[in-house]
Amino acid sequence: MAKKYIIGLDIGTTSVKALVFDRNGKVIAETEQLNTSFYPEPGFVEQDPDVIVSASVFVLKAVMEQADIIANELISVGFSCAMHSLICVDENGHALSRAMTWADGRSSEQAERLLKEKGLSFYEKTGTPIHPMSPLTKFIWMKETGFAPFEKAAYFMSLKEYLVFHWFNERVVDYSMASASGMFNGALLDWDEEILAHVGVVKKQLATPVAPTHILKGLDPIVAKYIGLPEDLPFVIGAADGQLANLGSGAILPGEVAITAGTSGAVRQWTTSFRPNEKHETFCYMFTGDTAIIGGPTNNGGIALDWLKKTLNYSGTHAEFTEEAAQVELGADGLFFLPYINGERAPLWNQKARGTFFGLSITHEHPHFVRAVLEGITFNLYQIAETLERLAGASEKIYVNGGLARSPIWIQMLADVFGKKIYMSESHHSAAWGAAWTALVALGEVSSFADIKENVPPGEVVEPDMARHVHYQKLYKKYAALAANIAKHFD
């Protein structure tokens, strides 16, 4: 029987997703299981790694059943995973701690101090901005606070490494996940000894860095039997969700920008060299040995809209809530929103940043707040894109993916703010398709990463309204000035 399907397993912060694709990128079936985050203290954000592993098993089994395919039709499974998680693990692979996620801000003080000391020199070697999102600063916090799991740990892993170790008994990490740790030298493609010494970790405690095409074999028999897969089915380690979202949307040429807008957000471009930014404004994470992704992530995408919906106690659907913004004109009658409710990475790189409404009037009602929040999210992405353009050149083509991309009013707003056509794919699951395509490359089923451009099912192209773009440019200047003026007050 012909092998014609590939699965992309996408381990995100909000959920774990499994999608079955055909060779052309068409989604055959998809299954999702939501993740639970824990907040044991202010600034702490954790997840249970064993629950994440169990969820991954569950969604793989469920998606196979939903697609109604048999194991012999399956080519491979490719992994995508959110960046910056950190777990302390004993010598037998058992977790000694929950996973600290990218949103965990407990190491804010350590990040501030490191930035004043060796931080910029570390950034130049790793491409990872100095921020509490990264395992680098989390390690320093662990060391300084005498965190018991840190002192007892034999190994340290991200969520993907933890899953790979439990399923395949192999301690490996792909270049992109290693890059996001803040301890991986992008030019050398190896752990940086100076940085490891600074945080009190030795190389043997970390996984071996490998290319995204690294093939994993020997699936745990119990896992294989439960899912219904052969033990010798090749899995491919893949990469981080950011790199794979660009790949899966086809944004891999100079001037092609991918915007991801889910719970959080990011603006990214593909590059053929390791290029940290002199001003510490963007990340640069390796993908293969000679390609990388540069860009800026924001903590505040759809999470800001979800917060507003909950705060206003709105009982309708998410789509209905978003459409409330259509009731008021652009600019929300002078109401601006700086969307830093969850701290902020790019463009501020300040976990202590907080959200602000400016220009509030007695005449403003909840549709104004909805529009202001959507515009604030979009202006923030535009500000990140401006920074990226200074480093990588003008954006010629913009691709978008993520949950917020399902909102027609927001997509039109994005086109109007950027003044560019917005290219959407048929599926919003670009990271999963990027993971699946990486598996095809690894197994020689396709000839190159670049060939994916012919295998991204096209979606709608949204044209900008240039008159509205001119208006938005005026509003953006005010937004940028507000952002610059208020940033100095976050301490």
Side-chain angles (χ1 to χ4, degrees):
M1 183 173 291
K3 294 182 180 292
K4 52 186 177 181
Y5 301 113
I6 324 99
I7 293 179
L9 180 64
D10 186 11
I11 305 167
T13 306
T14 304
S15 65
V16 178
K17 303 172 187 174
L19 291 95
V20 176
F21 298 93
D22 68 15
R23 291 172 179 265
N24 298 315
K26 181 180 178 180
V27 176
I28 306 302
E30 58 182 279
T31 303
E32 177 178 21
Q33 182 159 315
L34 297 178
N35 296 332
T36 299
S37 293
F38 301 93
Y39 308 89
E41 295 184 38
F44 288 34
V45 186
E46 302 173 347
Q47 293 183 332
D48 187 325
D50 292 309
V51 171
I52 301 294
V53 172
S54 295
S56 300
V57 173
F58 173 82
V59 295
L60 281 178
K61 178 179 176 63
V63 83
M64 290 282 291
E65 293 173 350
Q66 183 182 336
D68 193 24
I69 62 175
I70 61 175
N72 288 341
E73 297 177 292
L74 191 61
I75 300 168
S76 180
V77 178
F79 289 112
S80 167
C81 190
M83 292 177 272
H84 310 301
S85 57
L86 179 60
I87 311 161
C88 300
V89 179
D90 70 16
E91 62 274 10
N92 297 314
H94 299 136
L96 298 172
S97 69
R98 288 176 178 159
M100 299 179 187
T101 76
W102 62 266
D104 191 288
R106 73 185 71 185
S107 60
S108 292
E109 291 183 8
Q110 286 75 18
E112 289 178 7
R113 187 173 67 250
L114 182 63
L115 190 56
K116 295 174 183 177
E117 298 170 351
K118 295 185 176 182
L120 289 179
S121 67
F122 287 1
Y123 166 74
E124 289 172 358
K125 294 198 289 183
T126 67
T128 306
I130 305 303
H131 185 272
M133 68 178 181
S134 78
L136 166 62
T137 62
K138 292 178 173 69
F139 272 127
I140 298 173
W141 177 88
M142 290 179 178
K143 179 182 176 182
E144 292 181 352
T145 61
F147 187 58
F150 170 77
E151 296 179 343
K152 296 177 181 177
Y155 308 118
F156 303 101
M157 301 179 182
S158 71
L159 281 167
K160 188 203 281 191
E161 293 156 69
Y162 189 76
L163 183 151
V164 166
F165 181 76
H166 279 265
W167 285 9
F168 300 97
N169 195 32
E170 190 172 354
R171 285 201 306 120
V172 288
V173 57
D174 65 85
Y175 294 149
S176 60
M177 294 293 290
S179 284
S181 72
M183 302 181 294
F184 184 76
N185 191 306
L188 301 178
L189 294 179
D190 200 0
W191 301 111
D192 190 275
E193 295 285 4
E194 179 191 4
I195 299 175
L196 296 187
H198 185 84
V199 302
V201 172
V202 295
K203 189 182 289 190
K204 68 180 182 180
Q205 292 179 294
L206 304 175
T208 301
V210 296
T213 50
H214 180 80
I215 298 172
L216 301 159
K217 294 182 178 180
L219 180 62
D220 179 90
I222 296 175
V223 174
K225 183 177 180 180
Y226 179 81
I227 299 173
L229 296 175
E231 295 175 29
D232 61 352
L233 178 75
F235 283 62
V236 173
I237 197 166
D241 53 1
Q243 285 85 337
L244 294 174
N246 269 59
L247 178 64
S249 63
I252 58 176
L253 296 179
E256 295 182 337
V257 174
I259 295 177
T260 296
T263 303
S264 56
V267 184
R268 298 176 298 267
Q269 279 199 50
W270 205 269
T271 180
T272 55
S273 60
F274 179 64
R275 302 167 65 185
N277 174 255
E278 292 180 359
K279 296 183 179 180
H280 189 252
E281 295 172 309
T282 56
F283 60 70
C284 183
Y285 299 145
M286 298 305 294
F287 176 57
T288 62
D290 54 8
T291 59
I293 290 288
I294 55 174
T298 169
N299 287 1
N300 301 286
I303 194 173
L305 196 65
D306 292 341
W307 163 81
L308 182 66
K309 184 176 183 290
K310 180 180 179 181
T311 301
L312 295 178
N313 197 28
Y314 186 85
S315 60
T317 67
H318 197 281
E320 290 169 342
F321 184 64
T322 306
E323 288 301 317
E324 292 277 334
Q327 297 180 24
V328 295
E329 291 296 320
L330 64 86
D333 290 340
L335 185 62
F336 286 83
F337 178 62
L338 300 176
Y340 312 139
I341 63 169
N342 195 31
E344 191 50 291
R345 289 180 285 176
L348 301 182
W349 296 107
N350 187 345
Q351 190 61 22
K352 294 182 180 179
R354 292 296 179 262
T356 304
F357 281 105
F358 177 86
L360 188 60
S361 165
I362 198 170
T363 61
H364 287 134
E365 298 178 346
H366 78 261
H368 294 91
F369 285 90
V370 177
R371 183 161 204 106
V373 167
L374 286 173
E375 289 179 343
I377 293 168
T378 312
F379 284 148
N380 199 41
L381 290 168
Y382 186 77
Q383 190 170 28
I384 296 170
E386 279 194 323
T387 300
L388 189 58
E389 285 194 351
R390 291 197 296 271
L391 182 63
S395 56
E396 303 297 334
K397 196 170 184 179
I398 298 175
Y399 298 83
V400 65
N401 59 76
L404 202 53
R406 299 172 185 172
S407 166
I409 191 170
W410 182 73
I411 287 293
Q412 187 62 58
M413 184 183 294
L414 187 71
D416 294 345
V417 169
F418 277 74
K420 303 277 188 181
K421 293 180 181 179
I422 302 297
Y423 293 82
M424 302 172 65
S425 61
E426 184 181 275
S427 166
H428 296 291
H429 302 294
S430 298
W433 177 226
W437 187 263
T438 300
L440 292 176
V441 173
L443 296 170
E445 297 284 337
V446 296
S447 60
S448 71
F449 288 109
D451 285 350
I452 197 172
K453 293 186 76 67
E454 305 301 321
N455 293 276
V456 178
E460 183 182 1
V461 178
V462 179
E463 298 276 352
D465 182 321
M466 296 310 292
R468 294 171 73 85
H469 173 65
V470 171
H471 192 173
Y472 267 131
Q473 285 293 293
K474 295 176 182 177
L475 292 173
Y476 172 71
K477 288 180 180 179
K478 188 170 184 177
Y479 170 92
L482 286 169
N485 288 333
I486 202 170
K488 59 189 175 185
H489 298 292
F490 300 131
D491 53 29

